[in-house]
Amino acid sequence: MIALVRSEMLQLRTLRSTWLVPVVLLGLVGLIGGASMADVGKPGGMTPAELREPLVVPAGIMSAVAIALFAAIRVGGEYRYDTIAQRFLAAPRGRVVVAKLLTYATVGLFLAAAAIGLGLAIAAPGISAEGLSLGYDTAGIAGLIGSIMLGAALFGALGVAFAFISRSQTAALLIVIGLFPAEKLAALILEEKAAYMPYGLLQSLIDQGGAVSPGVGGALLSLTAAVAVLVAWRLAARRDVT
Amino acid sequence: MTLIETRHLTKDFGSVRAVDDLSFAIEEGKIVGFLGPNGSGKTTTLRSLLGLVTPTDGDARIRGVAYSEISDPHREVGSMLEASAHPARSASGHLRVLAAESSVPKGRIEEVLDLVDLAGAADRKVGGYSLGMRQRLGLAGALLGDPAILVLDEPANGLDPEGIRWLRGFLRGLASEGRTILISSHVLAEVAETVDEVIVINEGRLVTHAPLKDLTSRPAGGKVRLRTPDLVRFEIVARDCGLEVTERNGSSVTISGSNQEAIGQLAHEHRIVLHELVSEGPSLEEAFLAMTDPTQEVSR
């Protein structure tokens, strides 16, 4: 398994476009965070929740979406360029799925950590200088960072699963991108039940207006990702590679 | 020792039977051409052998076990199914990924790039490669683990004459190292100078599995050409013996349905002088086409 994960990491390193993902993500997080902090201290004041939003939403949502898209593109690309057969010839298919899962979940963890770290680095000095607070103690900050990292890791796993299930780069991308508007549309019919879909659960996990507590959101999102990965694992093992 | 074997291998894709009760065995050290027209089931058979396609019935084995049961597959079996690689990755990057999967030392990458004459283009993106270069990269990947068994699916596909010549020499080199090679093609001439045996399939079924020389010595397609100054008398004698003169060209005739020895004996018995007596078996291509043409009766 170590050799397979090492090979997956090498696959990422041997394509220059890989580096676009952190550059674009961190650029956007920095841009949004910096722009938002420009309003800090202006008349009217900001509540801790208002201060947290431009910090948590870009890092939490964008890093999760970025790693899901990245996983869908790269794993779907294995089908697009017919290199998936090479992966399955080197190792049992289930292990290939697990190796990709571990790789993209790990990359998601690091991406999210970097995004929230950058957001905090931009926000903290300005907030502190104005005598304001995010309303978190040390444990709260740790919990926030942990939930953002978990969200990204789970969305990375979902991206991998969608690619294995669809066996198509385009379809996997459309699923990741289309899930968000699909959830909004589903809310019109399912009402609050739509909050139990992946993006709704992510909002709960990072405590940004979800329907359930972060703990329950994290647990349900983990369950959703586990089911998707299990389906992907079963299909990858059983389908012919033609 | 049998290294590669299929036993009653059958594969259906929906209502289409791609491979139909196919059984063959390949002995160690043999270079075997796996031939058949496009759509005859060659790729499905090879993918079944490599565990990528699950047979509907029967099985395919390497050294007596299914591919999935081989503990270190890249070191045991090298395969080239498609000349596939991510177009934005360099050749060396592509091979580094394959090497990492199988824990092959990095030094081997340079060796195989040298073997396929790609060392000079190792750092170029694969997307900029010609089809021939991509085929060579595929061969490099197959050789990475220095396997004793090679399974190559249409490696000459799309190659220009220069590329095909290079491939023949390359395969001859691999053969001289004692490897067992199964190489598929839909063009017999591509592999005819390299292989020891041929397995011919058509519509998923085995047509023949024989040494290459047997293909051209089958009596059904045999002809004998002779040249004689006494052509008129020879034709009379030939007809009296029930032989068919199929072609006439100056002092030469071509006789079907006999062989060199019988014609020589006949001429001698009738004191007819022969200036030339040549056995004209069917060309390899003719033999192959005859076997895979559903409108012709097949000699099996």
Side-chain angles (χ1 to χ4, degrees):
Chain A
M1 183 54 71
I2 291 169
L4 287 179
V5 173
R6 191 180 294 143
S7 168
E8 291 296 331
M9 291 292 185
L10 191 58
Q11 285 201 59
L12 300 186
R13 291 207 312 270
T14 49
L15 288 177
R16 283 183 201 161
S17 55
T18 296
W19 305 109
L20 278 176
V21 179
V23 168
V24 170
L25 175 67
L26 296 179
L28 285 172
V29 168
L31 204 65
I32 294 169
S36 302
M37 287 306 116
D39 293 334
V40 172
K42 286 187 177 171
M46 290 174 88
T47 64
E50 288 171 330
L51 285 170
R52 286 199 299 266
E53 190 180 331
L55 175 68
V56 176
V57 171
I61 303 284
M62 284 170 44
S63 58
V65 173
I67 189 62
L69 287 173
F70 185 51
I73 289 170
R74 284 297 166 78
V75 180
E78 295 261 40
Y79 285 95
R80 179 179 173 185
Y81 300 114
D82 200 28
T83 50
I84 194 69
Q86 293 164 3
R87 305 286 88 78
F88 289 160
L89 285 171
R93 299 183 198 186
R95 294 180 68 189
V96 172
V97 174
V98 172
K100 288 192 182 293
L101 183 75
L102 289 174
T103 301
Y104 287 94
T106 305
V107 172
L109 287 174
F110 280 102
L111 265 184
I116 189 64
L118 178 66
L120 285 171
I122 291 169
I127 290 170
S128 176
E130 295 295 332
L132 300 170
S133 166
L134 288 170
Y136 283 130
D137 56 12
T138 309
I141 288 284
L144 173 72
I145 294 171
S147 62
I148 286 174
M149 290 172 69
L150 177 63
L154 294 174
F155 262 63
L158 283 172
V160 170
F162 292 155
F164 274 113
I165 291 167
S166 66
R167 292 185 290 181
S168 159
Q169 191 182 47
T170 308
L173 265 175
L174 286 175
I175 294 170
V176 174
I177 295 168
L179 205 52
F180 187 74
E183 285 188 26
K184 297 297 173 195
L185 284 173
L188 298 174
I189 304 163
L190 300 172
E191 297 175 344
E192 70 272 12
K193 289 190 185 111
Y196 293 91
M197 293 171 79
Y199 282 103
L201 293 172
L202 179 64
Q203 278 183 294
S204 292
L205 173 62
I206 62 173
D207 202 12
Q208 288 296 308
V212 293
S213 68
V216 173
L220 291 176
L221 188 57
S222 300
L223 187 65
T224 304
V227 169
V229 166
L230 194 63
V231 171
W233 185 80
R234 290 276 293 172
L235 290 176
R238 295 172 64 165
R239 282 169 166 167
D240 290 333
V241 183
T242 53
Chain B
M1 181 189 177
T2 299
L3 286 197
I4 297 172
E5 184 181 20
T6 67
R7 294 185 300 191
H8 305 290
L9 184 70
T10 301
K11 178 63 185 177
D12 295 334
F13 291 110
S15 60
V16 177
R17 178 149 289 188
V19 181
D20 190 1
D21 195 28
L22 182 63
S23 298
F24 62 78
I26 296 172
E27 300 298 311
E28 187 171 8
K30 295 284 185 189
I31 316 296
V32 179
F34 189 43
L35 304 165
N38 287 328
S40 58
K42 300 187 297 296
T43 296
T44 302
T45 302
L46 296 186
R47 285 186 180 247
S48 300
L49 187 63
L50 296 169
L52 295 171
V53 166
T54 306
T56 306
D57 200 6
D59 60 17
R61 291 164 179 263
I62 293 171
R63 288 195 196 276
V65 297
Y67 184 89
S68 59
E69 292 169 32
I70 300 172
S71 58
D72 200 356
H74 271 177
R75 291 175 187 274
E76 191 74 41
V77 186
S79 58
M80 178 189 155
L81 295 176
E82 302 269 347
S84 48
H86 195 293
R89 190 172 279 127
S90 68
S92 60
H94 172 75
L95 293 175
R96 279 169 62 202
V97 170
L98 293 180
E101 280 173 338
S102 307
S103 303
V104 171
K106 282 182 187 172
R108 178 68 181 158
I109 294 169
E110 285 181 25
E111 288 176 24
V112 294
L113 282 168
D114 275 335
L115 273 175
V116 299
D117 293 340
L118 274 182
D123 295 326
R124 278 172 52 191
K125 286 181 181 174
V126 176
Y129 274 19
S130 66
L131 183 55
M133 291 169 85
R134 285 205 295 274
Q135 296 280 44
R136 280 189 269 161
L137 179 60
L139 288 168
L143 289 167
L144 204 55
D146 199 15
I149 300 168
L150 284 167
V151 177
L152 310 175
D153 190 11
E154 305 254 9
N157 218 7
L159 292 183
D160 58 19
E162 178 65 33
I164 290 174
R165 195 169 63 178
W166 175 87
L167 182 66
R168 282 181 188 143
F170 182 73
L171 291 175
R172 274 197 294 269
L174 294 177
S176 69
E177 294 167 2
R179 297 179 206 263
T180 304
I181 306 175
L182 178 60
I183 173 172
S184 82
S185 178
H186 62 277
V187 182
L188 179 56
E190 285 175 355
V191 297
E193 291 180 29
T194 313
V195 301
D196 305 314
E197 298 175 1
V198 289
I199 295 169
V200 181
I201 67 168
N202 193 28
E203 296 178 343
R205 289 188 290 272
L206 182 70
V207 173
T208 190
H209 180 182
L212 182 69
K213 59 180 168 50
D214 284 8
L215 247 66
T216 55
S217 60
R218 291 179 183 225
K223 295 175 184 173
V224 178
R225 178 167 51 84
L226 63 88
R227 190 159 55 86
T228 171
D230 203 357
L231 191 58
V232 174
R233 197 158 69 89
F234 179 82
E235 283 192 69
I236 293 166
V237 168
R239 280 197 205 94
D240 287 347
C241 295
L243 298 174
E244 184 189 359
V245 177
T246 53
E247 287 176 43
R248 187 181 294 104
N249 183 14
S251 60
S252 292
V253 289
T254 303
I255 312 287
S256 293
S258 188
N259 58 44
Q260 211 173 7
E261 292 77 12
I263 297 291
Q265 183 67 33
L266 185 69
H268 173 72
E269 285 170 2
H270 291 82
R271 297 186 175 275
I272 296 172
V273 175
L274 298 181
H275 291 169
E276 188 179 16
L277 183 61
V278 181
S279 180
E280 289 190 333
S283 72
L284 287 173
E285 218 56 51
E286 284 169 345
F288 174 60
L289 288 171
M291 281 188 284
T292 56
D293 182 351
T295 63
Q296 294 192 32
E297 192 178 338
V298 174
S299 167
R300 300 183 192 207

